[in-house]
Amino acid sequence: MGVRVAAAAGFDEDDQYRIGLAVHEGVMNAFQYGNEQRREKKIRVIFELSHEKMVIRVADQGVGFRLEDVPDPRLDENMLGKPAGACC
């Protein structure tokens, strides 16, 4: 679905692939984590096109979370490995 919308919006083949992959990943995450693999729950994919941009929203029926409660993944203390540029 994402590839078709991206093609209709005039994106080149590489960007169509990337957009399609991102939409697929979002839908799979919504199914796996948001809807907890429950087939009876719905997933909505909304595409918004304008002259300046394309916005894609994936919404599930999960309980959700507050974004401000999620640790900033860019901070050193939240990194799984060494920070970029770190030595030793």
Side-chain angles (χ1 to χ4, degrees), residues 1-87:
M1 177 187 339
V3 173
R4 287 188 304 224
V5 173
F11 287 92
D12 66 32
E13 276 190 37
D14 286 342
D15 285 338
Q16 290 173 33
Y17 171 78
R18 290 182 186 108
I19 291 166
L21 184 61
V23 170
H24 180 266
E25 183 69 18
V27 169
M28 293 306 295
N29 283 343
F31 175 72
Q32 175 83 25
Y33 303 108
N35 289 352
E36 300 173 327
Q37 299 183 23
R38 294 176 56 193
R39 292 177 182 259
E40 69 275 9
K41 290 192 172 191
K42 306 281 188 229
I43 298 171
R44 290 185 331 189
V45 180
I46 301 165
F47 295 89
E48 297 175 15
L49 295 169
S50 71
H51 293 293
E52 300 87 32
K53 62 185 174 181
M54 177 168 67
V55 176
I56 304 166
R57 289 186 171 79
V58 178
D60 57 51
Q61 293 183 313
V63 295
F65 60 91
R66 291 172 11 114
L67 190 55
E68 54 270 12
D69 293 339
V70 177
D72 187 337
R74 300 168 294 180
L75 298 177
D76 289 347
E77 63 265 20
N78 298 327
M79 299 259 179
L80 292 176
K82 292 182 190 174
C87 134

